[in-house]
Amino acid sequence: MNPHPPPWAQAPTWANQPSGLPKHPRFFFTDGNAPVIVDNTLYRLHRYLFSKGSWYLNLGEQPNYLWESKKDFDRFLTILYPSDYSKHECETAEEWASVLTVADHVGMQDIRRLAISRLAECAGPVDKIVLGHRYNVTEWLAPAYLALATRTESISAAEGVRLGVDALVRLAALQDEIYGNLRSYVNPEKFAEMFASKLAI
């Protein structure tokens, strides 16, 4: 059995009886033709809106179970069903990361590009490293690693957990390279004099 099912899958037996599930208060449309179940919540969407994605072929009258969080899926749907056409409801890096997650999984490339462009403006270097590796946004990686390697604050424990071992190893190697090159431009005698005067020795 595949341990990593696709983001969509035919709903399990219990989900083929959608009448017992709560309907989403915003994204259940009576004229919809694509029932979807996320976190035991029933959505009824419009199939044509997904025509540019790989998920389109999997939508039909039978409910599909989406392996995403309800929060992420709702944020993604605000792009397809905006409450205000003059602006997006998503504003923060966390919200746009949700949009990127679902857009990437269901193959909606236009929305994926939109999320990437917004994250380029609002995401910090840790987010860009994590998401850049996960979703192959390679143009983020070098600038984000450099920003972390040269910032004055140390990597926090929470940031370290998010980055993971591989990214931390890359970051340490980059810092060694940066400060190794820096030392080659420093006059050791003047450096010692400066510290001696600062420490009054």
Side-chain angles (χ1 to χ4, degrees):
M1 180 179 293
N2 183 1
H4 302 291
W8 60 85
Q10 191 65 37
T13 302
W14 60 265
N16 284 324
Q17 307 298 326
S19 59
L21 295 176
K23 299 175 182 178
H24 194 282
R26 176 175 173 183
F27 299 118
F28 184 94
F29 301 96
T30 56
D31 63 342
N33 57 0
V36 178
I37 296 167
V38 181
D39 284 350
N40 295 340
T41 300
L42 181 63
Y43 298 69
R44 184 170 284 277
L45 309 173
H46 299 91
R47 190 169 184 258
Y48 75 91
L49 290 174
F50 298 87
S51 60
K52 292 185 178 180
S54 58
W55 196 34
Y56 178 75
L57 298 176
N58 296 275
L59 292 174
E61 286 303 317
Q62 289 299 313
N64 277 262
Y65 187 90
L66 189 64
W67 301 90
E68 305 286 354
S69 76
K70 183 173 176 289
K71 177 178 66 177
D72 287 349
F73 194 51
D74 285 358
R75 289 170 175 172
F76 169 79
L77 289 179
T78 65
I79 306 300
L80 294 178
Y81 297 99
S83 58
D84 183 344
Y85 284 95
S86 66
K87 62 180 181 179
H88 294 295
E89 294 177 46
C90 294
E91 296 179 348
T92 67
E94 179 188 354
E95 290 168 340
W96 281 110
S98 293
V99 175
L100 175 59
T101 295
V102 180
D104 185 83
H105 285 182
V106 302
M108 299 285 286
Q109 295 303 315
D110 288 350
I111 298 179
R112 184 182 189 275
R113 286 190 290 270
L114 171 65
I116 288 172
S117 70
R118 294 307 175 103
L119 284 164
E121 299 171 358
C122 66
V126 172
D127 286 323
K128 287 181 177 178
I129 290 172
V130 173
L131 296 172
H133 282 301
R134 184 178 301 162
Y135 299 114
N136 197 33
V137 190
T138 55
E139 64 268 25
W140 286 350
L141 295 177
Y145 274 109
L146 184 60
L148 280 187
T150 56
R151 78 178 192 182
T152 55
E153 302 90 353
S154 300
I155 301 297
S156 69
E159 288 174 330
V161 170
R162 290 194 62 208
L163 288 167
V165 174
D166 288 347
L168 290 174
V169 169
R170 291 189 181 99
L171 186 60
L174 179 59
Q175 288 174 323
D176 286 344
E177 183 73 19
I178 291 170
Y179 293 112
N181 288 332
L182 180 62
R183 283 192 291 271
S184 67
Y185 292 99
V186 173
N187 184 314
E189 293 182 359
K190 289 186 176 180
F191 205 61
E193 290 175 4
M194 180 184 70
F195 271 93
S197 64
K198 292 288 185 183
L199 298 173
I201 57 176

